[in-house]
Amino acid sequence: MNPLNALLAQTVIEERYAQAEQYRRSHPERPGAAPTLYDSVTIRRVTPDDWKAVERLAQLEGHPVPRGAALLAEVDEDVLVVRSLEDDATVADPFHPTAELTTLLEARAKHLGGHAHSAIARPFHRAAARVTAMARH
């Protein structure tokens, strides 16, 4: 390579490095990951005491109440997402960010696998059916 071309190439490279450094300093760093929205989240099975909150979520979202055994995600004692273990139907509060909570419930439902109809879940399933039947009349 011609020494003059090598000198010219080196100068161009140094100028580009200087421009890149100037750009980096003038623009703030972009956040890597989104900050965590909730400090504390409780994921548990839906109990008969939770059915008013479940019905409220279903009404807010305009979807039917999830059937059978279900999981819920609550933040500060507010139920924000409910996911059925039978048909994977999910209802969420449309006035709160719930994408992370929905992902957590999906993971927990997968972890439970086919254990939705366990002896523990059956009484809740029957109670949920009674509440749903009473609400229809």
Side-chain angles (χ1 to χ4, degrees):
M1 178 185 248
N2 184 336
L4 188 56
N5 286 344
L7 181 62
L8 183 61
Q10 184 63 35
T11 304
V12 168
I13 290 170
E14 289 173 0
E15 285 177 3
R16 296 226 172 124
Y17 274 117
Q19 288 172 346
E21 182 65 22
Q22 182 182 5
Y23 180 85
R24 186 186 63 78
R25 288 183 181 172
S26 66
H27 289 76
E29 288 187 32
R30 295 180 183 157
T36 303
L37 297 174
Y38 304 111
D39 291 331
S40 177
V41 176
T42 302
I43 295 177
R44 60 181 175 80
R45 289 187 183 263
V46 173
T47 65
D49 296 335
D50 299 318
W51 279 103
K52 284 186 181 179
V54 172
E55 289 174 340
R56 182 187 66 84
L57 286 180
Q59 287 176 349
L60 284 175
E61 203 167 28
H63 291 292
V65 176
R67 296 179 308 129
L71 295 174
L72 64 78
E74 75 182 348
V75 175
D76 299 327
E77 298 181 14
D78 293 327
V79 177
L80 297 182
V81 183
V82 176
R83 180 181 177 91
S84 171
L85 292 172
E86 291 184 4
D87 60 2
D88 296 332
T90 302
V91 291
D93 190 329
F95 301 110
H96 290 87
T98 56
E100 290 179 347
L101 301 176
T102 302
T103 303
L104 286 172
L105 285 180
E106 287 173 7
R108 181 62 178 144
K110 283 182 185 176
H111 180 258
L112 290 174
H115 304 293
H117 300 290
S118 68
I120 295 172
R122 273 188 225 115
F124 297 125
H125 179 68
R126 287 191 298 268
R130 281 193 301 266
V131 169
T132 305
M134 288 183 347
R136 289 183 189 153
H137 295 314

